[in-house]
Amino acid sequence: MPVITVERKVLEKNDKVAETLRNLFRQKKIFVINMLSSPGSGKTSLAEALAHYSGKLFNMAVITGDPQTRNDAERIDKLGIPAIQIITNGACHLDASLVKNAAENIINLDINFLLIENVGNLVCPAGFDLGENQKVVVISVTEGVDKPLKYTKAVLNSETLIINKTDLLPYTDVDIEQLKKNALSINHNLEIFETSCRRDEGIDLVAEWIKRETDQL
C-alpha cells in the first residue's frame, strides 16, 4: 500500500505541472505530441524526416529525452531545428517538470509544433502526462505483430500509431495488417500511419496530419 500511495502522489504532482504546460501551449497555439517507442524504433529518424517540412507546413521544435547522451538533439540541431536535450541520468521517462524547464527555452520562438521525443521505453512514459495534445506510439516492423498486445497501456493512451521501418518488411515475417489489427483491438480509435524514413515513404502523410492539427489551434 505505501508504494501505491507514493505513486499516486507523484502522478498527482506531475499532472498539475502538465496542466500548467497544456494551458501554456494552448495560449501559444502550439500543437504538442509526446512520442513513445521502444529503443531503436526510429523516433529521432522520424523527427529528422519531419524537420524537412518545417518552415513549409509548420514551424517545429524538438525536446528529446535520453538517459545519457546529447546525440539525438545534435542530429536535430544539424537540420536547423531548435532542439533541447533532456538527459535523465538513467531515468526511464520524462516528466512534466523536466519538460517545463526545457520548454522555457523554446516557448517564445516562432513555432506551432513541438515534438517531445520521450525516452525509449513503452512502460514508464505511458503513464506520465507532459501537457501534450496527443501521445503518439511508434512501433517498427522489426518488433513483431504482438508488440501492441504486450504494451497495452502505451497503445491505449495514444491517439496515433506510426508503424515505422516498413522498408524492412521483406526481411521479416511480420504481417503488417495483423499488427494493425492487434493495435486496433486495444484502441479502435487509433489513427495509423506507415512510414519508412530511409525511403521517405509516408512521412508526407504524417506531416500533412500535423499541419491539419496546427491549423485547428
Side-chain angles (χ1 to χ4, degrees):
M1 290 299 292
V3 174
I4 296 173
T5 301
V6 169
E7 181 181 0
R8 186 183 300 119
K9 288 181 178 179
V10 169
L11 290 174
E12 286 175 354
K13 180 180 178 181
N14 181 84
D15 289 348
K16 288 180 181 178
V17 178
E19 193 57 32
T20 299
L21 270 175
R22 184 170 288 106
N23 290 333
L24 181 60
F25 293 143
R26 187 183 297 120
Q27 291 168 12
K28 296 290 184 177
K29 296 188 176 181
I30 300 173
F31 175 60
V32 183
I33 66 173
N34 177 7
M35 190 173 280
L36 315 178
S37 86
S38 301
S41 294
K43 294 190 302 301
T44 307
S45 294
L46 282 166
E48 289 175 311
L50 289 170
H52 294 292
Y53 292 87
S54 189
K56 303 169 187 175
L57 298 183
F58 43 76
N59 294 321
M60 175 182 179
V62 176
I63 293 175
T64 182
D66 194 279
Q68 295 297 341
T69 73
R70 292 198 72 258
N71 294 350
D72 293 346
E74 289 172 358
R75 286 169 58 179
I76 305 300
D77 276 335
K78 291 177 181 178
L79 299 175
I81 302 299
I84 304 294
Q85 183 80 56
I86 299 175
I87 298 176
T88 65
N89 293 313
C92 61
H93 62 87
L94 297 179
D95 62 36
S97 293
L98 291 172
V99 171
K100 183 175 182 292
N101 291 337
E104 291 173 356
N105 294 288
I106 58 174
I107 197 70
N108 292 316
L109 299 179
D110 182 23
I111 63 169
N112 61 356
F113 170 49
L114 173 61
L115 190 159
I116 302 173
E117 180 187 340
N118 218 310
V119 177
N121 184 342
L122 280 178
V123 180
C124 307
F128 280 79
D129 185 358
L130 303 182
E132 71 271 2
N133 294 91
Q134 287 199 25
K135 285 184 172 67
V136 176
V137 62
V138 180
I139 297 175
S140 70
V141 298
T142 57
E143 296 175 72
V145 298
D146 60 346
K147 201 62 177 279
L149 304 178
K150 291 183 176 181
Y151 298 95
T152 56
K153 188 173 183 179
V155 175
L156 189 61
N157 288 357
S158 296
E159 288 83 0
T160 301
L161 166 65
I162 297 177
I163 301 175
N164 196 30
K165 301 189 179 182
T166 54
D167 54 290
L168 297 179
L169 275 171
Y171 309 102
T172 73
D173 59 358
V174 167
D175 180 343
I176 197 167
E177 294 305 318
Q178 186 61 51
L179 175 54
K180 292 181 192 176
K181 183 178 179 180
N182 288 343
L184 290 170
S185 72
I186 304 300
N187 182 350
H188 67 274
N189 292 317
L190 279 173
E191 184 163 9
I192 301 177
F193 296 96
E194 299 173 28
T195 58
S196 167
C197 298
R198 185 177 294 275
R199 293 181 179 173
D200 194 27
E201 294 174 350
I203 307 298
D204 57 336
L205 299 179
V206 178
E208 289 166 6
W209 162 68
I210 292 168
K211 183 180 187 303
R212 289 196 300 272
E213 294 293 335
T214 58
D215 286 347
Q216 292 174 15
L217 296 174

